[in-house]
Amino acid sequence: MQLQPQEERVTFLVTRILACYVQLSNLPTLRPSTKVNGIFEDLVHLCCYTSDEGVTEKVLRHPSIVDIVTPLRRLCSFGESQLEAHWTERVLESGSQKEASLIFLDFPYYNNYLDLVRMELNALASVTRGGQPKRFAVLGSGPLPMTSLCISQLFNDDGEAVIVHNVDRDARAIANSSALCCRLGYRLEQVSFQCAEVEDKALDLQGFDVVCLASLVGTTSEQKRNIVGKIAKQMSPGAMLLLRSAHSMRSLLYPVVRTADLTALGLKPLLVVHPCNHIINSVVICQIVSAKPQGNRFSKMHSYYLLHSLLLLPCVYTQNAPSSSKRGLVYVPNTKHLSDDSIWTSESSDLTWYYNYESKPSPAFSNSTKLQFVPMLWGSSTTFLNDVTSQIETGANISYVLAFNEPDGGGATGGSAIPADTAAETWQREIEPLKKLGVKLGAPAVTGAPSGKVWLRNFFDACKGNCSADFIPVHWYGNFEGLASHVGEVRAAYQNLTMWVTEYANNHVSLEESQSFYNQSSQFFDRIDYITHYSYFGSFRSSVSNVGPNAAMLTEKGKLTDLGSWYLGGAATGNTPHGAAGRNAIFTSSATLILVTSIWSLI
């Protein structure tokens, strides 16, 4: 029996789609490669360029296709996330901002994203009656925040900035995407980042004009519906919810957003757009309904957007550094130059807290009201609890404590070298009781080396649930890419804890590299909500710096370097650091000799 042309087409498509599914399922990895890319390209072509509605309906209803729709979408979702993660890594590994921008623009689906976002913005313009959104939130932004960056580029608001807030539940994706934006030159005023689930109380969507839900969030229509219901409850009345959907054969790649589901959730569907060209996703726009009439939330909005050349705003060598209440001081005293201490408490200083590796405050800051002291139990101790409670009883503002400086490191490089089980016993005796006094407890501050991760796991195992840390300190010495990756790994391992970066620097590099690292890292820390405190390791003169003279915040003559002034919230000074100490330089404190922390550079 000879098949009719339509039946031949259905058989051909079903066979090819099943073949793509089987090939993808049997691959050991979906990381980008010639083979992986080729299979996905074939699949996309099959799904995007079938216009016969009769053929489409028969293909989608074919039993073999119905059985694989959900797992196929999962494969596509995972493959897309792998491609984006790979491209982000390429951008972060670039040698300069110019090279990073060229790699970014070379992303295989850059133009597709650009056209999709242009279509979405024009769709928004058609339903907002000439109003212009000012604040966007993108949920499921991923490791390569293409949507956010395309919004920033396509929006033309006569010079007024548009803010885009990126949200993803994957901590590493948030860390890497934030690092990527900084590498490309985007400032904190343009893009911000948050690691959160859609139901997290910390996710506040009030005040956003438009919330965009990425196509990869939810692999079925039912999952999408449940997620939309949670999002809508957190949004402001009158705000727009922009959803990426799929139509026709494209629904094999992404789930369909049903307008009936939106109406059932109490939302007001306004517009559905189905592309017939190379753009894969459809766009669905709905509004959060209010019992009271809402005025126009938006000001003037253009209905047509032009792509300008990629806007590269300087991320390094800033003249006027942004202020930040997160910044603190790693206090390393210099008995030969006591006047240096006054620099950190000057009226123009941004610093709000300090620690000195000891349980008692430094005499240099005894009369200071600017710096809050954070005690540290450096190693094994039997007096820490008494020292801290005595300060609290006499009226001292002790809100936080730190514990065990680099316990996985050796004494020759400043580590406390304390076994994990001993530290667990000490914690429960000297630190845990402070919880009842309202003090927030910092987990042990391990090195950035692999040994730190192992030690920390052993510590919490030895605690047996009796060490209730509130935040986790991080140490890092090395380049910015390594720092961002390490922060993401730590966040992924300890998602219930906030984070302090209590020691960090790019050690023994050029002045240009030091300044670039500082500016990138400070903007990175200020963007991420779960990083609540950070303290740069460099509060000493360049002539005694064991992390290289260019990492120091003071010159050999005690003048603030550009980096040092930026850290305090000031402008560049033009003071160049010179001279350096050996790797194991010793700094003297009033009570003890402290060997400066160990240096780990994991690249």
Side-chain angles (χ1 to χ4, degrees):
M1 177 178 177
Q2 188 174 6
L3 294 175
Q4 297 300 313
Q6 188 182 78
E7 293 175 334
E8 289 180 354
R9 182 64 177 162
V10 170
T11 301
F12 170 78
L13 287 170
V14 169
T15 303
R16 288 285 304 276
I17 291 168
L18 288 174
C20 289
Y21 170 71
V22 171
Q23 287 177 290
L24 291 172
S25 300
N26 292 331
L27 287 174
T29 177
L30 293 182
R31 290 279 291 178
S33 67
T34 302
K35 187 172 185 178
V36 171
N37 297 348
I39 298 172
F40 276 119
E41 286 172 6
D42 286 347
L43 182 62
V44 169
H45 183 82
L46 290 168
C47 294
C48 288
Y49 296 100
T50 300
S51 57
D52 188 314
E53 292 183 5
V55 169
T56 296
E57 183 177 358
K58 289 184 178 181
V59 170
L60 293 179
R61 290 185 177 183
H62 194 284
S64 297
I65 297 297
V66 172
D67 288 343
I68 68 162
V69 170
T70 299
L72 179 61
R73 287 175 184 164
R74 291 197 185 104
L75 287 170
C76 293
S77 175
F78 186 67
E80 188 170 336
S81 65
Q82 290 285 290
L83 174 63
E84 293 184 359
H86 170 74
W87 219 262
T88 297
E89 290 169 6
R90 285 194 58 194
V91 173
L92 293 178
E93 290 169 358
S94 62
S96 66
Q97 186 171 304
K98 181 179 180 180
E99 182 185 351
S101 300
L102 292 174
I103 294 172
F104 172 74
L105 291 171
D106 199 37
F107 181 65
Y109 298 103
Y110 173 76
N111 287 326
N112 295 66
Y113 265 104
L114 203 57
D115 290 340
L116 170 61
V117 173
R118 182 185 285 111
M119 180 182 77
E120 292 170 335
L121 292 179
N122 279 302
L124 273 172
S126 71
V127 298
T128 52
R129 297 180 182 179
Q132 175 166 312
K134 300 291 186 181
R135 292 172 55 82
F136 289 78
V138 179
L139 308 187
S141 54
L144 184 64
M146 289 296 301
T147 298
S148 302
L149 299 185
C150 287
I151 288 173
S152 296
Q153 294 311 306
L154 288 171
F155 237 96
N156 177 11
D157 184 29
D158 299 325
E160 292 186 32
V162 174
I163 297 172
V164 186
H165 185 57
N166 297 272
V167 180
D168 201 286
R169 66 180 182 179
D170 186 330
R172 188 159 190 174
I174 283 294
N176 286 346
S177 59
S178 178
L180 175 138
C181 288
C182 192
R183 172 52 63 92
L184 292 175
Y186 285 84
R187 299 177 300 191
L188 180 60
E189 294 83 1
Q190 296 173 287
V191 287
S192 56
F193 297 84
Q194 182 179 8
C195 181
E197 295 274 4
V198 292
E199 65 268 21
D200 285 356
K201 293 181 179 179
L203 180 59
D204 183 7
L205 298 178
Q206 295 288 322
F208 286 102
D209 301 321
V210 180
V211 174
C212 310
L213 184 64
S215 54
L216 297 182
V217 180
T219 55
T220 67
S221 297
E222 289 70 27
Q223 289 177 355
K224 210 83 165 179
R225 181 186 188 280
N226 292 335
I227 292 169
V228 168
K230 295 175 181 177
I231 293 170
K233 292 177 181 178
Q234 302 182 58
M235 293 175 61
S236 301
M240 299 293 176
L241 180 57
L242 191 155
L243 306 167
R244 286 179 178 168
S245 180
H247 179 63
S248 189
M249 290 281 286
R250 292 167 166 86
S251 63
L252 294 176
L253 308 176
Y254 300 102
V256 175
V257 175
R258 300 175 295 224
T259 54
D261 287 343
L262 302 178
T263 302
L265 291 170
L267 302 173
K268 182 181 180 182
L270 299 176
L271 183 69
V272 178
V273 179
H274 298 308
C276 296
N277 56 3
H278 62 284
I279 299 174
I280 298 174
N281 290 112
S282 301
V283 57
V284 179
I285 299 175
C286 56
Q287 190 171 35
I288 308 302
V289 178
S290 172
K292 298 179 180 180
Q294 294 290 315
N296 194 344
R297 292 175 54 87
F298 316 114
S299 61
K300 180 183 176 186
M301 181 173 183
H302 298 279
S303 61
Y304 182 72
Y305 300 88
L306 296 175
L307 172 65
H308 299 285
S309 59
L310 187 65
L311 179 63
L312 296 177
L313 297 170
C315 186
V316 296
Y317 313 128
T318 53
Q319 291 299 306
N320 296 303
S323 61
S324 174
S325 60
K326 295 183 178 183
R327 291 178 198 150
L329 175 70
V330 186
Y331 179 56
V332 182
N334 187 339
T335 56
K336 293 183 179 180
H337 303 284
L338 298 178
S339 59
D340 290 354
D341 294 338
S342 62
I343 293 173
W344 316 119
T345 56
S346 65
E347 286 299 319
S348 59
S349 173
D350 263 356
L351 305 184
T352 59
W353 62 280
Y354 83 100
Y355 78 101
N356 58 6
Y357 302 97
E358 300 179 20
S359 61
K360 298 179 181 179
S362 300
F365 307 126
S366 58
N367 296 321
S368 173
T369 58
K370 289 179 65 73
L371 296 179
Q372 180 183 15
F373 176 58
V374 180
M376 170 182 267
L377 193 162
W378 182 81
S380 184
S381 171
T382 58
T383 64
F384 184 79
L385 177 60
N386 183 64
D387 290 345
V388 176
T389 54
S390 295
Q391 293 174 61
I392 294 174
E393 289 170 356
T394 56
N397 179 18
I398 304 296
S399 303
Y400 310 94
V401 294
L402 296 167
F404 308 118
N405 185 65
E406 301 197 341
D408 58 307
T413 51
S416 54
I418 180 172
D421 55 350
T422 303
E425 293 175 8
T426 305
W427 172 291
Q428 293 173 59
R429 184 185 67 246
E430 300 292 326
I431 295 181
E432 191 66 28
L434 294 170
K435 193 88 169 179
K436 296 179 181 179
L437 300 179
V439 179
K440 301 286 188 181
L441 312 181
V446 297
T447 67
S451 61
K453 300 173 187 177
V454 175
W455 189 99
L456 205 53
R457 284 197 299 268
N458 292 339
F459 168 79
F460 282 114
D461 287 344
C463 286
K464 298 179 180 179
N466 296 316
C467 303
S468 52
D470 296 290
F471 61 92
I472 186 156
V474 167
H475 286 191
W476 182 262
Y477 292 90
N479 63 20
F480 176 68
E481 293 72 33
L483 168 67
S485 179
H486 183 59
V487 165
E489 289 177 1
V490 174
R491 176 62 176 177
Y494 301 97
Q495 294 190 27
N496 294 327
L497 303 180
T498 56
M499 187 181 298
W500 292 30
V501 183
T502 50
E503 284 187 24
Y504 74 102
N506 195 4
N507 52 304
H508 303 290
V509 295
S510 69
L511 181 60
E512 180 180 350
E513 289 174 296
S514 285
Q515 291 178 335
S516 175
F517 170 82
Y518 167 71
N519 280 287
Q520 286 182 299
S521 58
S522 62
Q523 292 187 39
F524 176 56
F525 297 152
D526 288 334
R527 280 192 179 106
I528 298 180
D529 61 314
Y530 61 78
I531 295 179
T532 61
H533 297 67
Y534 63 91
S535 50
Y536 181 79
F537 188 78
S539 62
F540 34 76
R541 296 191 178 203
S542 59
S543 54
V544 294
S545 171
N546 77 319
V547 288
N550 297 319
M553 291 196 279
L554 301 176
T555 68
E556 70 282 3
K557 296 181 180 179
K559 302 294 184 181
L560 280 171
T561 63
D562 288 350
L563 190 156
S565 181
W566 291 335
Y567 190 68
L568 300 188
T573 63
N575 297 325
T576 304
H578 296 289
R583 177 180 173 84
N584 294 327
I586 299 176
F587 295 92
T588 308
S589 92
S590 58
T592 60
L593 292 178
I594 299 176
L595 291 173
V596 175
T597 184
S598 59
I599 312 299
W600 289 99
S601 181
L602 306 180
I603 303 175

